[in-house]
């Protein structure tokens, strides 16, 4: 739905996601081997720029998701019935 210029996006870089010309979020390339982008959006009292500044230091070269989200995902899977 939104427009993203991700052609030359390098790992750890963000590109704004625009809808009707308005910046509503950002697309981040989390790692060099990752083809999927990570989408960051603002929340209560946090603008897009600040949201990106929060997320970028949480990225590792090993995982696509930020550390806390990856840990929560792994923990939730341990409660899933087999």
């Amino acid at each position: 739905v939104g427009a993203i210029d991700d052609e030359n996006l390098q790992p750890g870089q963000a590109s704004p996601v625009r809808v009707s010309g308005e910046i509503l979020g950002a697309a981040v390339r989390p790692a060099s081997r990752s083809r999927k982008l990570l989408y960051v959006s603002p929340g209560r009292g946090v603008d897009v720029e600040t949201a990106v500044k929060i997320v970028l230091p949480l990225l590792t070269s090993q995982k696509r998701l930020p550390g806390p989200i990856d840990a929560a995902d792994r923990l939730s899977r341990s409660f899933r019935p087999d």
Side-chain angles (χ1 to χ4, degrees):
V1 173
I4 306 164
D5 181 18
D6 67 332
E7 190 172 317
N8 297 315
L9 201 57
Q10 299 299 313
Q13 288 184 327
S15 179
V17 175
R18 298 176 191 274
V19 176
S20 300
E22 182 182 358
I23 297 174
L24 296 183
V28 176
R29 173 122 15 239
S32 58
R33 59 187 164 85
S34 180
R35 293 186 321 233
K36 292 184 177 181
L37 297 174
L38 178 67
Y39 293 93
V40 178
S41 59
R44 181 174 168 82
V46 177
D47 60 13
V48 174
E49 183 179 337
T50 303
V52 171
K53 286 180 181 179
I54 291 169
V55 168
L56 287 179
L58 299 174
L59 296 174
T60 68
S61 61
Q62 306 301 318
K63 304 283 184 177
R64 184 178 98 75
L65 296 175
I69 294 173
D70 181 62
D73 181 57
R74 283 186 282 122
L75 180 63
S76 71
R77 290 172 192 261
S78 71
F79 292 99
R80 198 169 57 183
D82 291 333

